[in-house]
Amino acid sequence: MAGIEVVRSIERDGLAEVDAFLDRLSRATGHPALGEQQWLDLNGGGGAGFLAALTRDADGGLAGYAQAVRDGERWSMELAVDRELPADDVARAVLAGITEEGGREVALLLTNAGTAEDALAARLGLRPVRDVHNLRRPLPPAELSSIAVRPFRPHADEDSWLRVNNRAFADHPDQSAWTPEMLEARERLPWFDAAGFLLHEEEDRLAGFCWTKLHDADGRRLGEIYVIAVDPDFEGRGLGRELVLAGLDSLWRRGAVIGTLYVDGSNARARRLYERLGFTLDHVDRVYVGALS
Ligand SMILES: CC(C)(COP(=O)(O)OP(=O)(O)OC[C@H]1O[C@@H](n2cnc3c(N)ncnc32)[C@H](O)[C@@H]1OP(=O)(O)O)[C@@H](O)C(=O)NCCC(=O)NCCS
């Protein structure tokens, strides 16, 4: 495909250029141009199971980027393009690369999905299978939490956190199989702050947690509830609500003026909890899948 470069790894200079492009798009749109796992794969240097396509404008500047990583049988793919650029060609270049690698199925995540994104996915032969809702609310929260929380202790709390997380999310495909390596990779990221990773204990064990993340977008300081869960043994006692309030208060005290989180569209229980706490829908990210031939 003319003008589109497909690569299997990205070296240091190229990485700086892609990161700067993604950063510019993220700031312009107010939401991350590339999901965190894909960003970690990109910054890990690529290699086996990694594919990216780059397209440039008339001045040679990066204008579109598509990336896919192998995830078992399936490849996970994301796209980041300048608004006016048709994304079809850069997407098709990656899809062709996946087919060459023997990939048979792709899951494409498009952020802020609307009719244009649905139409793009349909042209690529992909169908929508899952919505992820981004909810927001202004800070501070109207109420304070009434439960005790303490910060996560690196090199001490990993095993108990992994156990509770993977038990609580047993029915959620992306969230139930965290490994020590995945957790440690996050602990090394610049945004990681143990003071905003709140644990609540009962009966001498971890009962639930609210892990928060601060980021700048569009000049407003966003505070994200990054992962929240209650161990199944402690569900339905009001801990989820208290943990949301504790997380929002922590984000507010560290400078965030808007609270945000991502929740699976099918997670009716969690969505109801957040809506009762004043969160409203900001946008929907959508996953599309399809077989490749
Ligand atoms: C979502 C979650 C954090 C809620 O925690 P929780 O401590 O059970 O929640 P609470 O007891 O505070 O109850 C929250 C709401 O769920 C309702 N609820 C509690 N137990 C329930 C049950 N067994 N079935 C259906 N609804 C239930 C409560 O009535 C409450 O609703 P309300 O505000 O309309 O009264 C918890 O279920 C969980 O960890 N789920 C798996 C991980 C997850 O989905 N995390 C959120 C991802 S964004």
Side-chain angles (χ1 to χ4, degrees):
M1 240 165 267
I4 295 180
E5 183 190 357
V6 177
V7 296
R8 281 165 174 76
S9 65
I10 297 190
E11 303 305 327
R12 193 185 314 179
D13 289 350
L15 195 55
E17 185 190 24
V18 173
D19 272 339
F21 171 68
L22 296 173
D23 194 49
R24 176 167 67 76
L25 279 192
S26 304
R27 285 176 191 280
T29 59
H31 33 84
L34 200 65
E36 188 171 74
Q37 187 55 52
Q38 291 269 1
W39 187 86
L40 284 167
D41 293 326
L42 165 67
N43 281 271
F50 176 94
L51 271 171
L54 294 79
T55 181
R56 296 180 180 281
D57 59 24
D59 301 327
L62 201 53
Y65 179 76
Q67 179 177 308
V69 292
R70 195 199 311 267
D71 184 7
E73 303 274 287
R74 178 186 267 196
W75 286 67
S76 298
M77 176 174 166
E78 293 186 29
L79 273 177
V81 290
D82 266 335
R83 195 169 290 278
E84 58 283 356
L85 187 89
D88 296 52
D89 287 352
V90 73
R92 286 186 202 283
V94 166
L95 292 175
I98 296 173
T99 307
E100 266 175 39
E101 295 282 327
R104 290 282 166 266
E105 193 182 31
V106 67
L108 170 66
L109 172 74
L110 295 178
T111 55
N112 205 6
T115 48
E117 287 71 21
D118 287 351
L120 167 65
R123 291 195 299 278
L124 297 173
L126 309 177
R127 65 178 199 289
V129 291
R130 185 177 153 219
D131 279 357
V132 180
H133 293 199
N134 180 250
L135 309 182
R136 297 189 184 191
R137 66 147 290 149
L139 296 179
E143 285 171 71
L144 287 177
S145 168
S146 62
I147 59 166
V149 290
R150 68 160 177 87
F152 180 88
R153 284 186 312 243
H155 314 299
D157 288 323
E158 281 79 1
D159 288 351
S160 53
W161 181 82
L162 285 164
R163 181 171 177 275
V164 170
N165 181 78
N166 291 348
R167 271 166 59 80
F169 282 102
D171 298 335
H172 297 251
D174 297 341
Q175 190 65 35
S176 58
W178 273 63
T179 60
E181 293 70 33
M182 289 165 75
L183 175 54
E184 282 151 21
R186 268 63 178 188
E187 289 181 54
R188 286 192 296 272
L189 290 177
W191 63 259
F192 180 80
D193 179 2
F197 191 164
L198 308 174
L199 308 187
H200 171 72
E201 288 161 319
E202 284 194 22
E203 300 164 13
D204 288 331
R205 55 188 269 222
L206 181 60
F209 62 85
C210 180
W211 184 358
T212 65
K213 171 179 179 180
L214 277 176
H215 28 158
D216 282 312
D218 230 0
R220 297 164 305 165
R221 197 131 202 232
L222 275 181
E224 180 180 346
I225 293 188
Y226 178 65
V227 195
I228 183 168
V230 170
D231 186 276
D233 289 347
F234 295 92
E235 267 183 353
R237 304 184 190 177
L239 286 184
R241 182 175 190 284
E242 296 300 324
L243 283 164
V244 174
L245 290 172
L248 292 179
D249 183 57
S250 161
L251 289 163
W252 162 249
R253 282 188 285 107
R254 285 177 293 136
V257 293
I258 295 173
T260 185
L261 56 84
Y262 292 87
V263 57
D264 205 287
S266 65
N267 192 347
R269 181 170 170 191
R271 282 176 56 198
R272 198 172 54 238
L273 168 66
Y274 303 137
E275 280 155 19
R276 292 224 173 157
L277 287 169
F279 282 89
T280 55
L281 182 67
D282 184 80
H283 66 269
V284 172
D285 296 341
R286 188 161 291 148
V287 181
Y288 306 84
V289 302
L292 301 173
S293 48

